[in-house]
Amino acid sequence: MTVAEAPTALLGAAVILALLVIRTAVQELREPGNARREWACLRDRRAVVLGTVTVLVLGAVGWTFTGPAAVPWAVLAGLLATRISANGR
């Protein structure tokens, strides 16, 4: 991949992030207060550290193979790892 493909990778990751936000909004409409519980993982230190480590490792490995196009996907994977680790307790 080249640097020119980074915006395409950013767009793909942004679409998935938008789907997560829409899902949260629909759940909030169905049951008020659910969004706060859904994103409470961002206040859990252990989960945030795990997500940060995921971003750093995947970002470094991805950068080696694909360049800057890997960064948005690494950030998305870190966010998902944060959510999973906080909800998995």
Side-chain angles (χ1 to χ4, degrees):
M1 277 193 181
T2 64
V3 175
E5 294 173 348
T8 305
L10 182 62
L11 180 63
V15 167
I16 293 174
L17 183 60
L19 289 172
L20 288 172
V21 170
I22 291 169
R23 177 179 172 257
T24 301
V26 169
Q27 289 178 349
E28 179 69 17
L29 288 173
R30 290 182 181 162
E31 183 183 338
N34 196 26
R36 182 174 291 145
R37 287 188 300 274
E38 187 76 20
W39 291 95
C41 62
L42 297 177
R43 287 184 249 139
D44 181 0
R45 255 183 219 201
R46 184 176 84 39
V48 171
V49 167
L50 179 70
T52 303
V53 169
T54 302
V55 169
L56 293 174
V57 169
L58 290 179
V61 171
W63 189 284
T64 302
F65 291 107
T66 63
V71 172
W73 294 106
V75 171
L76 184 62
L79 176 65
L80 293 174
T82 300
R83 290 185 70 183
I84 289 168
S85 67
N87 293 338
R89 284 198 218 185

